[in-house]
Amino acid sequence: MYKIPVRLRALSRARPTVNAAMLALLLGSGTSLSHAAETPSFAALLQQAQLKAPYLLEQAANVRAASADARQARALSNPSLSITAENLGAPLSGGQSQRQDTYAITQVFEVGGKRSARIEAEQLKSAAVGTRERQARISFANELAISYASAEAMQQRKTVADAELVRAEDDLRAAQALVKAGREADLRLAQARASVAGAQAAVQSASADATEAMERLTAIVGATESFTRIDHPFLATASAVRPAGAWSTDTTPALASAVAERDAIAAQIRVEEKRWLPDIGVSVGMRKFGWSNEKAATIGLTANIPLFDRNQNGVNAARERATSASMRVEAARLEATAAHRSALAQVQASEKRLQAAVQGEAASGEAYRLGRVGYEAGKTPLVELLAIRRALSEAMALTIDARLARVRALATLSTAEGRIAFGETP
């Protein structure tokens, strides 16, 4: 529920005769602007993305399609109806027509376990699609965390650029005062103005980067309105969910997906081995004689003869694909182990990098404070103050980068371990 802005409440008290329609228009405008600028917390955004993100909706559709294919595999083949007219135009026999009309229904039956093999193969394909969908959800959640953190980092970089511009303008005013008092040369004033121009350019660049990051975040989650800023801190407060038990490569979605693919492909071997078996068709019908009203029943059997094609090459191809899938499982196992070790090292390095960056930012902030005091007292030259100020901005940017790198490392580790880094399990 949106709250009435303080300015509007004061306006309504000061002018009780304000037109109600105008007040409603102002309230509606304030509500829409507030809604456009509001960005949910990461946890809330992740929950919303489960229902709106196009990528996740695509994966869910693939799962439903695979389940439908598995159900369709159980269906029996449809019967066929045949109508045959014989002896058309034949000479009369004793003045009677020799025409015969035959109506038959034929049902084809799969023998030798062909249907059960097909059903098993489709079920395993459906299971493999489900495994890939779970892997996709984990990867999406962790990528969303990185995108959310990146958007907040760009927003913080914009804040740093704005603060740098304010400091540059303060230094410019101080330089103007010192030049006017004859304590600094005009060159220092030109340097201060150049520093302000550079800070203004940095603000524009940071603003563009922040807008790009917000638009990317909006597109990922499938939001209808563009996010404008992040009001819920995530970059500095993100805490990864730790696994309850010991990690194992067998629990990683990447390996589970490779195993499911291997099983589905291996099941296809049995389908190919039985493909050459003949299908038996049973026909039941009725024959009507043209020279009388009498009828007779007909029955027949049909079967294809596997004389030239026993699908041997199809079986060999299926076996080779199964061998390839088995090799992919082993490769996925090795890659999962290597990725986990690498991600662990990156997490440890990012933690140390963040600690060093925070300490460096604190030291740079104190150095700028002392440098500013010294400059205003005429003891610190402007060139040195500008260098100290740039060092402070760089230190603040390094802290933001270190926090973002930490989120990236935690998300990468969580993906390697098959879990969502910051939020509920899939």
Side-chain angles (χ1 to χ4, degrees):
M1 181 176 182
Y2 295 100
K3 296 181 180 180
I4 299 176
V6 175
R7 183 178 300 175
L8 293 181
R9 292 203 301 267
L11 178 61
S12 64
R13 289 195 299 267
R15 299 181 181 179
T17 60
V18 173
N19 187 277
M22 181 64 71
L23 182 59
L25 178 61
L26 290 175
L27 287 174
S29 176
T31 297
S32 62
L33 288 176
S34 177
H35 180 70
E38 180 182 359
T39 303
S41 65
F42 172 74
L45 191 62
L46 179 59
Q47 291 181 352
Q48 294 178 14
Q50 306 296 325
L51 303 176
K52 296 182 179 180
Y55 178 73
L56 295 185
L57 294 178
E58 174 192 355
Q59 299 302 318
N62 290 336
V63 171
R64 293 193 299 270
S67 298
D69 286 337
R71 293 191 299 270
Q72 182 62 35
R74 295 180 174 275
L76 297 173
S77 58
N78 292 322
S80 60
L81 172 65
S82 62
I83 301 176
T84 304
E86 301 179 71
N87 299 330
L88 298 178
L92 301 179
S93 175
Q96 300 292 328
S97 172
Q98 298 300 306
R99 178 173 176 173
Q100 299 180 17
D101 296 330
T102 304
Y103 305 88
I105 294 179
T106 303
Q107 177 66 55
V108 177
F109 296 94
E110 297 173 299
V111 298
K114 294 178 68 174
R115 181 170 177 267
S116 61
R118 184 180 68 252
I119 292 174
E120 180 186 7
E122 290 299 331
Q123 287 177 340
L124 289 175
K125 286 181 182 179
S126 178
V129 173
T131 304
R132 288 197 301 270
E133 192 260 352
R134 179 176 179 271
Q135 180 184 6
R137 285 188 174 274
I138 292 175
S139 299
F140 174 84
N142 293 333
E143 287 297 329
L144 178 60
I146 295 175
S147 296
Y148 195 96
S150 298
E152 186 181 1
M154 295 303 102
Q155 178 179 295
Q156 291 182 2
R157 279 183 169 271
K158 171 66 165 52
T159 302
V160 170
D162 290 338
E164 173 70 6
L165 177 58
V166 171
R167 288 191 293 266
E169 291 173 344
D170 290 342
D171 293 343
L172 175 59
R173 284 190 291 269
Q176 288 173 338
L178 292 175
V179 170
K180 186 176 181 180
R183 297 170 57 186
E184 282 282 9
D186 291 340
L187 176 61
R188 304 309 181 197
L189 186 59
Q191 291 174 336
R193 287 172 177 167
S195 178
V196 170
Q200 290 173 341
V203 168
Q204 295 299 321
S205 177
S207 179
D209 292 341
T211 300
E212 179 185 0
M214 289 294 179
E215 291 296 337
R216 186 182 301 112
L217 180 63
T218 302
I220 289 176
V221 301
T224 56
E225 296 186 28
S226 299
F227 299 138
T228 56
R229 65 175 289 104
I230 293 178
D231 300 319
H232 303 273
F234 174 74
L235 196 60
T237 61
S239 179
V241 179
R242 298 299 180 183
W247 175 81
S248 173
T249 51
D250 296 332
T251 61
T252 59
L255 182 59
S257 179
V259 171
E261 291 281 355
R262 180 198 61 190
D263 295 342
I265 293 176
Q268 194 65 29
I269 297 177
R270 185 164 172 255
V271 174
E272 296 296 332
E273 289 175 342
K274 297 181 178 298
R275 192 180 296 277
W276 68 272
L277 295 176
D279 295 331
I280 304 300
V282 179
S283 301
V284 178
M286 178 193 68
R287 177 168 296 171
K288 180 181 178 182
F289 302 100
W291 60 87
S292 69
N293 291 327
E294 296 180 356
K295 302 175 183 179
T298 63
I299 188 171
L301 294 175
T302 59
N304 58 311
I305 302 175
L307 182 61
F308 302 109
D309 181 13
R310 298 178 66 90
N311 198 36
Q312 188 60 49
N313 289 324
V315 173
N316 293 337
R319 288 174 177 168
E320 293 300 331
R321 283 191 288 267
T323 301
S324 175
S326 297
M327 295 300 101
R328 286 197 296 271
V329 169
E330 296 305 318
R333 193 186 306 276
L334 295 174
E335 290 175 0
T337 302
H340 186 257
R341 291 174 180 172
S342 175
L344 276 177
Q346 290 295 331
V347 168
Q348 295 173 357
S350 66
E351 295 286 354
K352 296 179 180 178
R353 175 186 175 185
L354 179 57
Q355 293 176 1
V358 171
Q359 294 174 358
E361 181 181 348
S364 297
E366 180 63 15
Y368 178 72
R369 186 187 67 82
L370 296 176
R372 182 62 187 268
V373 172
Y375 178 71
E376 293 178 350
K379 297 180 180 180
T380 302
L382 178 61
V383 175
E384 183 177 346
L385 179 64
L386 296 179
I388 295 174
R389 197 188 72 217
R390 283 194 299 270
L392 173 59
S393 297
E394 292 173 357
M396 297 174 71
L398 286 176
T399 301
I400 296 173
D401 291 343
R403 289 197 173 103
L404 179 58
R406 174 180 172 274
V407 171
R408 289 181 182 275
L410 290 174
T412 302
L413 177 61
S414 299
T415 301
E417 293 180 345
R419 55 186 176 82
I420 292 178
F422 315 97
E424 299 294 333
T425 56

